[in-house]
Each structure stands twice: as C-alpha cells, then as structure tokens.
Amino acid sequence: MYTTVLAIHSLVRWLVLASLLFAIFRAFNGWSSKRSFSRVDNSVRHWTATIAHIQLIFGLVLYFISPIVNYFLHNFNDAVHRREIRFFGMEHSLMMVVAIVVITIGSARAKRKLTDPEKFKTMALWFSAGLLIILSSVPWAFSPLISRPYFRPF
C-alpha cells in the first residue's frame, strides 16, 4: 500500500503544480487586462484548491504509513539530526500543510471578493505564495539536500 500511495502522491504533485501555474497565469492575466471574472476563472480557482486538497489527503495517508515518518516519530532525538528523516518527518509535511492552508485561504477570499479585479488579485497573490512554499519543500531530483525521482513507479 505504501508504494502505491507514494506513487500516486508523486504523480498528483504534477497536477497540483500544473493547476497552480494555470490558475496563477489566469489570475495575473485577468488582473492586468481588467477582464471580468468568468465562470471558467471561478472553476479554475475551485479545482486548483480541490486538487491541492486531494494531494493533502494522499500526503496525510503517507505520513501515517511511511516507515521514514514512523522512525522519525519513534526516534525523535536521533531522527531530528538526520536531514532526510527530519525533512520527511517534519519539514516537508509542515510546509505542505502551510501551503495548502494558504491556497485554501486564497481561494475562499477570492470567492468572497466583490469586484473582479479584487478576485483576480487575491487569487494571484495567495496562489503564488502557496506555489512558492510548495516549490521550496518538494524533494526535487536535482536537490543536493533531499533528492527523489520526478516520477515513481507503481
């Protein structure tokens, strides 16, 4: 089960990144061109947050079944000094939850704004902040600190 959930979590991250990039592009474009906030824009806002929440669910499942996190939780004094274990036991998890909270707040605030420019601006800024947090906390294959493959096999 662990390897399957890990593979799905690895795959869904690309959906999260793609949807965030698309939503941010539409938000900045709509904000700068002063166009109206359409049903499509609202759907993009909604589905971006939804995809992020789905990824959070997979991440939470992984957190509770991961042998790395299990080691971290049961050997905290030793594990906190080991970069890879600390990253997955604490840093990655915490920052990703923060990113999802930021995206959720941005989505909710954008939905409640009264004018179209405010909706676009709110979505652009909050989703961008969430994306930056995510990009800083993903174990990229090129990272010298914590490296994982771009795609995991099932």
Side-chain angles (χ1 to χ4, degrees):
M1 179 174 164
Y2 171 72
T3 55
T4 302
V5 176
L6 185 61
I8 293 169
H9 185 66
S10 179
L11 184 63
V12 173
R13 79 171 151 180
W14 296 108
L15 293 174
V16 171
L17 293 173
S19 66
L20 273 171
L21 288 170
F22 184 64
I24 291 167
F25 171 78
R26 285 193 68 93
F28 275 111
N29 185 280
W31 183 19
S32 65
S33 67
K34 299 183 186 342
R35 66 178 168 77
S36 63
F37 196 84
S38 69
R39 289 178 74 135
V40 172
D41 295 312
N42 193 51
S43 290
V44 168
R45 175 202 57 78
H46 170 75
W47 282 105
T48 298
T50 300
I51 291 168
H53 287 116
I54 291 168
Q55 178 71 331
L56 175 64
I57 292 168
F58 284 120
L60 288 172
V61 169
L62 265 180
Y63 192 83
F64 292 109
I65 66 173
S66 168
I68 296 171
V69 174
N70 186 40
Y71 180 84
F72 175 80
L73 294 174
H74 291 94
N75 302 285
F76 182 80
N77 290 335
D78 174 52
V80 77
H81 299 291
R82 297 175 68 189
R83 175 76 177 129
E84 181 175 329
I85 295 171
R86 184 183 67 237
F87 178 79
F88 289 107
M90 185 170 50
E91 296 167 7
H92 175 73
S93 337
L94 177 64
M95 294 305 289
M96 292 305 177
V97 168
V98 169
I100 302 303
V101 168
V102 167
I103 291 166
T104 303
I105 291 170
S107 177
R109 285 187 170 201
K111 180 180 179 180
R112 288 168 179 75
K113 292 294 180 181
L114 300 176
T115 68
D116 293 341
E118 286 177 327
K119 290 180 183 194
F120 282 125
K121 179 181 176 182
T122 302
M123 196 167 104
L125 297 178
W126 285 86
F127 281 18
S128 294
L131 177 63
L132 289 175
I133 295 167
I134 288 171
L135 291 175
S136 73
S137 301
V138 169
W140 297 107
F142 57 80
S143 173
L145 302 173
I146 299 297
S147 166
R148 292 294 186 266
Y150 290 122
F151 296 98
R152 290 193 174 267
F154 281 92

